[in-house]
Amino acid sequence: MITLYAIAQRELAKDLLFEIDDEVVTLSVKGIMIAKSVSKTYNFSFVEVTDNEFVLAVQMKGYVIYLGLESDEIIDEDAYPELVRALINHLLSSLHNLVREAEKEYQGKADLLLDDNMSAEMKEFFYELLLKHQRGLPTHEQVDVA
C-alpha cells in the first residue's frame, strides 16, 4: 500500500498546465482514489463537481482510478472533450504504473491515496464514492431517458 501512495504522490499529485481554447489553464490534482472493479475493460468518465472542480475516473485492468482536479478558472463545457483528451494523454503512463503496482500488492476494495486541500464539495463526492465502493454499492445513479 505504501508504494501506491508513493506513486500517487510522485507521479500524479501535481499542477498540470494545459492550453484550452487558446488560454493556459492550471489543473491541480487534489484527490486520488483507487478502487477495484469487476470490469477489466478500459473506460473513463468525467464528472463536474463544481464550476471549477472535476473528477476524472479512468477504468483499467480491474481498477478505477479517480482523480479530483481543481481548475484555476471556470472551464466552458464545450472544452471538456479537449480537456479530457489532454488529461488522459498526459496521465496515462502514470495511471498504468499505479495499476501495475496495485495488481502486485493491493488487497482492499477502495482507498484514498491523496486528499490534498480538497473543497468540502470534492471531499463529500470522494467520501460518498469511497463508501459505495467499500460497501459494494453501485457507484453511479441510474437515470431515465427523457
Side-chain angles (χ1 to χ4, degrees):
M1 197 58 193
I2 292 171
T3 309
L4 294 178
Y5 286 107
I7 292 170
Q9 289 288 326
R10 182 181 64 246
E11 296 187 29
L12 296 166
K14 51 183 147 187
D15 290 342
L16 308 168
L17 298 173
F18 295 105
E19 187 172 326
I20 300 170
D21 292 336
D22 299 323
E23 287 189 40
V24 175
V25 176
T26 302
L27 293 173
S28 301
V29 178
K30 297 292 187 176
I32 302 170
M33 187 174 96
I34 187 168
K36 284 193 176 174
S37 170
V38 293
S39 176
K40 301 274 185 195
T41 63
Y42 286 73
N43 205 345
F44 70 90
S45 61
F46 188 74
V47 179
E48 183 180 271
V49 177
T50 67
D51 286 343
N52 68 327
E53 293 177 311
F54 317 93
V55 173
L56 175 63
V58 179
Q59 178 181 305
M60 60 175 67
K61 300 174 90 178
Y63 294 90
V64 181
I65 309 299
Y66 297 92
L67 299 166
L69 303 157
E70 180 181 81
S71 173
D72 62 343
E73 58 185 72
I74 296 173
I75 299 173
D76 184 31
E77 277 186 40
D78 294 339
Y80 287 176
E82 181 182 346
L83 174 64
V84 170
R85 190 172 17 263
L87 282 166
I88 288 175
N89 285 337
H90 185 77
L91 298 171
L92 197 56
S93 85
S94 296
L95 294 173
H96 273 289
N97 289 342
L98 189 65
V99 169
R100 213 175 3 258
E101 191 59 38
E103 289 176 314
K104 293 181 203 172
E105 72 170 57
Y106 187 65
Q107 300 299 316
K109 290 183 180 181
D111 281 289
L112 277 174
L113 301 177
L114 176 71
D115 175 354
D116 187 19
N117 297 319
M118 285 193 275
S119 71
E121 293 87 352
M122 183 77 79
K123 278 184 183 181
E124 181 179 348
F125 182 89
F126 266 92
Y127 284 103
E128 283 180 14
L129 197 57
L130 180 64
L131 287 174
K132 285 179 181 180
H133 273 288
Q134 289 180 339
R135 293 178 180 163
L137 300 172
T139 56
H140 55 278
E141 300 294 322
Q142 206 55 344
V143 294
D144 293 328
V145 177

